[in-house]
Amino acid sequence: MSRILKAVIPAAGLGTRFSPITNAIPKELLPVVDRASIQYVVDEACEAGIEEIIIVISEAKESIRQYFDRLTSTTSASIKYVYQHEQLGLGHAILCCSEAIGQESFAVLLPDDIIHDEKGALTQLLEIYSRVGSSVIAVQRVLPEFISSYGIIEPTVADDVIKVIGLIEKPEIDKAPSDFGIVGRYILSPMVLEILSTINTGALGEIQLTDALAQLVSSQDLYAVHIQGERFDVGNPTGLLKASIVLALRRQDTATDFKGFLGSIL
Ligand code: G1P
């Protein structure tokens, strides 16, 4: 089993939920406390030992590149950029990285999901990957009213890990095979790229990574890790606010001041 050295961070989406700010600023550069939200996943990848990060951007999002160009001395991984010219979905964004990834297993981190824990979410996945040696995805339990916003897995228990035998992207609640939703961290075999190159559009008319994984399980093992950590969906304004508040309370340099302020307004 080879070490995971490369990670893809898809960041070419339009960010319409943050309109009008996204007329001028990519949503991934909106701040959580004092840094761009995308930096949390870049830092998580570096902490997990990733050596090369491939950020998928569009021509309109060059400022993401400028942001990291000024940070390179503090980022242990090298960062490459791949352009997604049409917004055809997450699966398509990953397919755009085929050449940059080559024939090795790779990680994917979705920057809309900030996961805060002592041990980074990708590190948690890599620990299981080093045991099972095949593709691994992160899941957490999802409340019924949010099931239709996630990729949902059909799990079986194999020893103490969850084996995935099926997946559905954004199912209706009555079609959901469990309440385990995918939370934006993946370690994938290169076969996923092959499948993505042949797949049709799925939910929302997009090329869905979840649909490729649903095909993968018929020929290769896929495991799910119920990861620890507080998760924030920073892809929408209230999630970004929650992340800012909680992370400001968790950080030593901001906690005291911020606790006092919250106490004074509640
Ligand atoms: C994407 C994936 C979905 C996953 C989710 C996690 O959906 O397609 O399977 O559960 O991220 O955040 P999106 O939120 O981009 O619609």
Side-chain angles (χ1 to χ4, degrees):
M1 177 194 355
S2 55
R3 254 188 76 204
I4 305 296
L5 300 174
K6 295 182 182 175
V8 174
I9 301 180
L14 298 174
T16 42
R17 275 176 289 181
F18 282 102
S19 174
I21 190 82
T22 42
N23 291 345
I25 302 172
K27 68 172 177 180
E28 295 80 4
L29 292 186
L30 296 177
V32 173
V33 191
D34 58 357
R35 63 202 65 179
S37 63
I38 191 175
Q39 197 185 330
Y40 289 84
V41 293
V42 166
D43 289 349
E44 183 187 318
C46 292
E47 178 211 301
I50 295 295
E51 293 183 359
E52 185 180 316
I53 294 173
I54 303 154
I55 303 184
V56 185
I57 57 173
S58 64
E59 281 78 4
K61 291 177 126 183
E62 285 288 342
S63 48
I64 294 180
R65 189 175 197 149
Q66 289 159 13
Y67 179 86
F68 286 108
D69 280 353
R70 299 200 175 171
L71 274 184
T72 39
S73 55
T74 56
T75 306
S76 60
S78 66
I79 303 183
K80 265 192 178 172
Y81 296 86
V82 161
Y83 289 82
Q84 184 185 14
H85 300 289
E86 295 167 287
Q87 310 313 315
L88 299 178
L90 173 59
H92 179 256
I94 292 166
L95 187 58
C96 292
C97 302
S98 293
E99 217 170 282
I101 294 165
Q103 285 306 310
E104 53 192 285
S105 292
F106 60 100
V108 176
L109 300 95
L110 304 189
D112 276 358
D113 289 310
I114 291 184
I115 302 168
H116 180 71
D117 197 65
E118 296 264 294
K119 192 185 277 178
L122 187 60
T123 302
Q124 295 178 42
L125 281 196
L126 284 169
E127 285 177 2
I128 302 297
Y129 171 76
S130 65
R131 277 172 49 196
V132 298
S134 49
S135 302
V136 182
I137 58 178
V139 294
Q140 286 188 333
R141 290 196 186 276
V142 174
L143 292 171
E145 59 269 38
F146 299 120
I147 292 264
S148 62
S149 304
Y150 289 85
I152 303 291
I153 64 159
E154 182 177 356
T156 54
V157 178
D159 298 319
D160 58 341
V161 287
I162 305 168
K163 187 157 187 231
V164 181
I165 53 174
L167 305 94
I168 310 182
E169 179 67 12
K170 300 186 171 60
E172 302 285 323
I173 176 88
D174 54 332
K175 307 229 167 58
S178 75
D179 64 350
F180 279 124
I182 304 171
V183 289
R185 301 292 183 273
Y186 310 74
I187 294 171
L188 301 175
S189 104
M191 192 182 188
V192 173
L193 298 170
E194 270 173 53
I195 299 173
L196 281 171
S197 68
T198 63
I199 212 165
N200 292 322
T201 53
L204 311 178
E206 295 180 343
I207 296 177
Q208 295 289 352
L209 176 58
T210 304
D211 293 347
L213 298 180
Q215 282 195 28
L216 180 80
V217 296
S218 59
S219 49
Q220 285 187 2
D221 288 342
L222 172 66
Y223 293 91
V225 183
H226 188 183
I227 51 155
Q228 306 298 310
E230 285 171 283
R231 171 179 165 268
F232 304 98
D233 177 2
V234 297
N236 71 73
T238 49
L240 188 80
L241 255 178
K242 287 178 193 167
S244 301
I245 291 169
V246 174
L247 295 180
L249 290 171
R250 300 277 181 272
R251 258 174 57 168
Q252 274 192 351
D253 58 337
T254 46
T256 313
D257 184 15
F258 207 58
K259 241 181 226 165
F261 167 69
L262 284 181
S264 74
I265 60 164
L266 291 174

